[in-house]
Amino acid sequence: MNDSEALQAATVRIRNIGGIDERTVRLDPGVTVLTGRNATNRTSFLRALMGACGSDAVSLKGDADEGTVELELDGRTYTRILSRENGTVSTDGTPYLRDTTTADRFAFLLGSNEARRAVVAERDLHDVIMAPVDTEAIEAEIERLRSRRSQVETRLDSLDSLEADRRSLESKRDDLEAEIEELEAERDDLEAEIDAEDRTVETQRENQAALDEVLSDLQSARSDLETVRFRLQSERESVESLREERGELQTELDSFDAEAVDPGEASDRIESIRSRIESLNSTISELQTVVQYTEDVLDGKADLVEDSLGPVDGDGSVTDRLVSSETTTCWTCGTEVDRDQIRGTTDRLREVRDEKREERAELRRELDELERSMRAAERAERDRRTGQIESLTERREELAERVEALEADASDLRGQADGDLIELHKELNEVEFALDRKRDELASVHDDLDALDARFDEREELEAEREQVDEDLETARTRIRSLTTAAAESFNEEMETVLGLLGYDNIERVWLERVERRVREGRRKVDKTQFELHIVRASDSGAVYEDSIDHLSESEREVVGLVFALAGYLVHEVYETVPFMLLDSVEAIDAERIAALVDHFEQYSTFLVAALLPEDAQALDASYRRVTWGTDVTPTA
């Protein structure tokens, strides 16, 4: 966690802050020891550094109307200006942090530090650790996710019958396919019998000419009927193929010019437009960010450009310099430029952004038109083929009636010898009729299954959404639990290590236990997480027993408080946002143990600044940088 190699030395310049008239102090990465007697303004320096970071703990010197603190770190300068007017002190400047709530609680470990004092005063440690977490926002998110899950569940309940409907339709489809197979087999047998019967019929018969003409017409009619049946089956297969392609199209309109659409070219164009729209979205977003950022700068919002400004010289705030000056520092190249020039550039950026937006709008309109055309083309083709099916079905019925009439005529013309052949033709015709009806029923079942598949797709999407909502809900529910569990574990691990380093012989263990209790809040009882601090001591005889915090020595209590603050520092990853850890008011701990604590805490922050008495400082490693404080010390270090 200590990232001292990534940062250079920090320089702190103070004027009229706390009890300090003026002083400059350089802090090297690692440990800096502020050594001096009490009342030598060591704590004032620490509070000034806190103020440069953004904390409100800094105070103006009592006899001054204005004070400043500057922090120069890693090539940038951060400022805090305090001004007194009519007895009221106001602050201005560009500090290192915008919000120091977590740093004040867990990194700036002065004597008044809330985490340290919470242990000594036996306050609710859980509330101290969880204070930086917006638990209300987490609870609101949990409620929103619960509501969304309920909505998804309701929609899924309405689709519960899909499986049963599908099984019923699939069963009906299987039955129809089996019946069609049986009818086709029966038809084949009848055709074979008719062929055999034809070969045995007498070549000479009464009314042969008329009979031959009727049989010829009958054969022609049956041939036409078979042709129509074949075409009808082909059209059904074409419609089925179109139905499978229908799921690939997204939008449907009522009318369009179907012949004007080339599906291959349209698909390529749609993909090209979508790629261009994604590129435009990125460009527009970047342009909007630049325009908004520039407008904020020109409006004098200094906190947005703190990285581009140097230290303030003389009177007046950074905001005054931005608002009142005709020029400003360019945040891209660092040179002074005319504000009107920046405004002109901003106007041109707006024009480019608007042109990109118009291009995106045109592309979206073209995309919509292409998708409508694709869908409409498929629909027109399906409608055309459906119309052909209806027409062929009517033609089939007409031919079937003609076949039946010709069979009756043939029966009248033929004698008893041809009776069996006529009956076979009638049976064959009945089988063909039954086969046609079953095929029509099967086509209807396929349509119903296709419609059902669309609802299954909706259910799959809802089930995927429900799974995601459940994951998000579990994450939200466990976030607070995870933080409190991590805090307890971190404290217990650090406490065990520190006790081993400091060698408190009569303390066996100090640990936090996370417990759930039913407590009353207003008129209702709720489950609330709390921390219980356990202290296990060892008697002279070697027996262990549990004790309370108020029975510990002042030194021991201070150590427990510091370790508790360190646990919060680690759990909330304060080292990611502020490179400083400040240590003060540890006189109750003996020098050797202070040295061990400093050595242990050093690993967690880039800069560890400790204010110590001279006799305590002597116990620390000689390699640590020391800054001496006192009335006889030159105010520069």
Side-chain angles (χ1 to χ4, degrees):
M1 298 177 191
N2 190 325
D3 195 23
S4 58
E5 295 182 359
L7 291 175
Q8 302 172 356
T11 301
V12 184
R13 300 182 183 91
I14 304 169
R15 184 174 62 85
N16 294 334
I17 296 295
I20 302 172
D21 291 326
E22 187 169 0
R23 186 160 187 184
T24 299
V25 175
R26 192 190 77 184
L27 303 175
D28 291 328
V31 176
T32 298
V33 181
L34 307 180
T35 178
R37 309 307 306 176
N38 290 329
T40 55
N41 293 320
R42 293 170 304 153
T43 301
S44 290
F45 172 80
L46 294 179
R47 291 187 179 278
L49 180 53
M50 292 168 61
C53 290
S55 174
D56 292 331
V58 62
S59 62
L60 181 63
K61 196 169 185 290
D63 59 354
D65 292 329
E66 182 179 272
T68 61
V69 55
E70 293 182 357
L71 168 63
E72 186 177 326
L73 177 63
D74 200 25
R76 298 177 180 177
T77 300
Y78 307 92
T79 63
R80 198 69 181 278
I81 304 169
L82 281 70
S83 302
R84 190 193 317 275
E85 186 174 354
N86 297 327
T88 301
V89 177
S90 59
T91 59
D92 200 354
T94 56
Y96 186 82
L97 299 173
R98 294 184 180 180
D99 183 2
T100 60
T101 302
T102 307
D104 280 333
R105 192 175 295 253
F106 302 116
F108 303 152
L109 308 182
L110 277 60
S112 59
N113 175 266
E114 187 174 357
R116 292 177 63 178
R117 300 279 65 81
V119 172
V120 175
E122 299 185 74
R123 285 177 45 200
D124 189 337
L125 300 183
H126 174 271
D127 288 348
V128 175
I129 282 288
M130 296 306 296
V133 180
D134 190 349
T135 54
E136 291 184 1
I138 296 175
E139 292 296 338
E141 175 67 5
I142 289 174
E143 187 59 33
R144 184 191 68 78
L145 290 170
R146 284 174 177 166
S147 176
R148 181 56 189 159
R149 190 182 192 283
S150 177
Q151 294 173 6
V152 172
E153 289 285 1
T154 299
R155 291 174 62 188
L156 282 172
D157 289 343
S158 67
L159 300 176
D160 278 347
S161 63
L162 291 182
E163 291 290 351
D165 293 343
R166 171 179 272 180
R167 286 194 298 270
S168 176
L169 287 171
E170 289 176 342
S171 176
K172 187 175 181 180
R173 178 198 62 195
D174 295 341
D175 291 342
L176 286 170
E177 289 176 347
E179 292 179 24
I180 288 173
E181 186 176 354
E182 291 177 1
L183 287 171
E184 289 174 341
E186 185 177 353
R187 178 199 61 192
D188 294 342
D189 291 342
L190 285 171
E191 289 176 344
E193 288 186 46
I194 288 173
D195 289 341
E197 191 69 24
D198 279 338
R199 288 192 294 270
T200 61
V201 173
E202 297 178 0
T203 58
Q204 298 294 328
R205 58 178 62 87
E206 189 181 19
N207 300 322
Q208 184 65 44
L211 181 58
D212 287 344
E213 183 178 353
V214 171
L215 289 176
S216 176
D217 290 344
L218 177 60
Q219 184 66 29
S220 176
R222 288 189 58 79
S223 177
D224 290 345
L225 181 59
E226 185 64 28
T227 297
V228 169
R229 286 191 175 110
F230 177 77
R231 289 183 59 194
L232 187 59
Q233 181 63 24
S234 297
E235 292 298 330
R236 284 199 182 103
E237 292 174 355
S238 296
V239 170
E240 179 66 24
S241 177
L242 288 172
R243 185 182 294 113
E244 293 175 355
E245 297 174 1
R246 180 175 53 197
E248 301 175 1
L249 302 175
Q250 300 176 350
T251 311
E252 180 177 351
L253 293 179
D254 293 330
S255 63
F256 78 109
D257 183 5
E259 297 180 356
V261 177
D262 184 324
E265 292 181 1
S267 296
D268 293 341
R269 180 58 179 161
I270 286 172
E271 184 63 28
S272 174
I273 289 174
R274 285 175 176 164
S275 298
R276 178 57 180 161
I277 287 176
E278 289 180 4
S279 175
L280 285 172
N281 284 338
S282 177
T283 301
I284 290 169
S285 176
E286 292 172 359
L287 286 171
Q288 179 62 30
T289 299
V290 173
V291 169
Q292 185 62 49
Y293 184 79
T294 307
E295 289 174 344
D296 288 342
V297 171
L298 293 175
D299 288 342
K301 297 181 179 177
D303 57 332
L304 296 177
V305 294
E306 61 187 31
D307 291 347
S308 68
L309 298 177
V312 178
D313 296 325
D315 297 334
S317 67
V318 175
T319 303
D320 292 336
R321 293 173 57 204
L322 284 172
V323 174
S324 63
S325 178
E326 293 301 324
T327 64
T328 188
T329 301
C330 177
W331 44 96
T332 60
C333 66
T335 61
E336 289 293 323
V337 294
D338 189 275
R339 298 171 66 82
D340 289 337
Q341 182 180 349
I342 294 179
R343 290 191 181 93
T345 302
T346 303
D347 291 339
R348 289 193 293 274
L349 287 174
R350 288 196 192 94
E351 292 174 2
V352 173
R353 178 198 63 192
D354 294 340
E355 289 172 2
K356 297 297 182 182
R357 286 176 172 171
E358 181 60 29
E359 181 183 355
R360 181 179 63 185
E362 288 295 333
L363 288 173
R364 284 175 174 167
R365 286 192 287 271
E366 182 180 353
L367 179 63
D368 291 342
E369 183 61 29
L370 283 171
E371 290 177 338
R372 285 195 295 268
S373 297
M374 289 283 287
R375 181 58 181 172
E378 185 269 348
R379 182 182 177 188
E381 176 65 12
R382 190 177 68 250
D383 290 345
R384 183 184 69 77
R385 292 188 178 276
T386 301
Q388 288 184 353
I389 289 175
E390 294 176 354
S391 175
L392 289 171
T393 301
E394 293 177 1
R395 177 63 176 158
R396 182 191 68 188
E397 300 300 330
E398 293 173 359
L399 288 171
E401 292 177 1
R402 176 167 171 73
V403 167
E404 186 176 357
L406 288 171
E407 287 174 343
D409 292 343
S411 179
D412 292 340
L413 290 171
R414 280 185 168 178
Q416 183 63 39
D418 298 318
D420 292 341
L421 185 59
I422 298 299
E423 288 300 323
L424 286 174
H425 276 287
K426 287 183 177 180
E427 290 181 28
L428 180 60
N429 195 47
E430 290 174 358
V431 170
E432 293 283 6
F433 271 124
L435 194 56
D436 288 336
R437 288 194 299 272
K438 295 300 180 184
R439 284 172 175 164
D440 289 343
E441 291 181 32
L442 183 60
S444 177
V445 169
H446 279 297
D447 287 339
D448 292 341
L449 281 171
D450 287 341
L452 199 62
D453 285 340
R455 300 189 70 197
F456 266 101
D457 292 340
E458 178 187 3
R459 190 178 73 171
E460 290 177 0
E461 292 175 359
L462 288 171
E463 288 174 343
E465 182 178 359
R466 179 178 61 184
E467 182 177 350
Q468 184 60 53
V469 169
D470 285 342
E471 291 179 3
D472 294 343
L473 191 57
E474 182 62 22
T475 299
R477 283 172 173 167
T478 58
R479 183 181 175 192
I480 297 176
R481 176 183 293 271
S482 298
L483 281 172
T484 55
T485 300
E489 291 176 352
S490 179
F491 174 84
N492 294 338
E493 291 174 2
E494 291 296 323
M495 198 70 241
E496 182 178 3
T497 300
V498 169
L499 285 177
L501 291 173
L502 304 189
Y504 286 107
D505 296 334
N506 63 341
I507 299 180
E508 287 290 320
R509 185 186 178 197
V510 178
W511 58 289
L512 278 180
E513 180 184 10
R514 181 184 178 279
V515 296
E516 298 284 345
R517 284 200 174 91
R518 193 80 171 169
V519 298
R520 180 174 296 279
E521 286 189 357
R523 296 184 176 180
R524 62 193 184 98
K525 288 188 175 182
V526 296
D527 292 327
K528 186 174 181 180
T529 303
Q530 295 180 342
F531 283 153
E532 283 189 355
L533 181 64
H534 297 277
I535 299 169
V536 179
R537 284 186 176 278
S539 64
D540 294 338
S541 63
V544 295
Y545 62 94
E546 186 161 341
D547 205 347
S548 61
I549 186 70
D550 56 345
H551 290 165
L552 294 180
S553 67
E554 184 180 2
S555 170
E556 293 166 338
R557 287 198 302 270
E558 289 296 339
V559 168
V560 174
L562 286 169
V563 172
F564 179 69
L566 177 61
Y569 179 89
L570 297 175
V571 166
H572 292 290
E573 299 178 340
V574 185
Y575 48 83
E576 295 286 353
T577 58
V578 59
F580 300 102
M581 178 182 284
L582 312 182
L583 187 61
D584 191 16
S585 300
V586 292
E587 291 81 4
I589 307 173
D590 59 88
E592 295 298 328
R593 286 177 172 135
I594 291 175
L597 275 175
V598 170
D599 290 343
H600 181 68
F601 276 43
E602 179 195 7
Q603 63 184 304
Y604 297 116
S605 67
T606 303
F607 297 92
L608 174 59
V609 184
L612 302 177
L613 295 171
E615 55 269 27
D616 293 331
Q618 290 178 359
L620 270 65
D621 193 313
S623 64
Y624 292 157
R625 175 176 171 79
R626 283 163 167 76
V627 178
T628 304
W629 290 78
T631 57
D632 57 341
V633 176
T634 302
T636 299

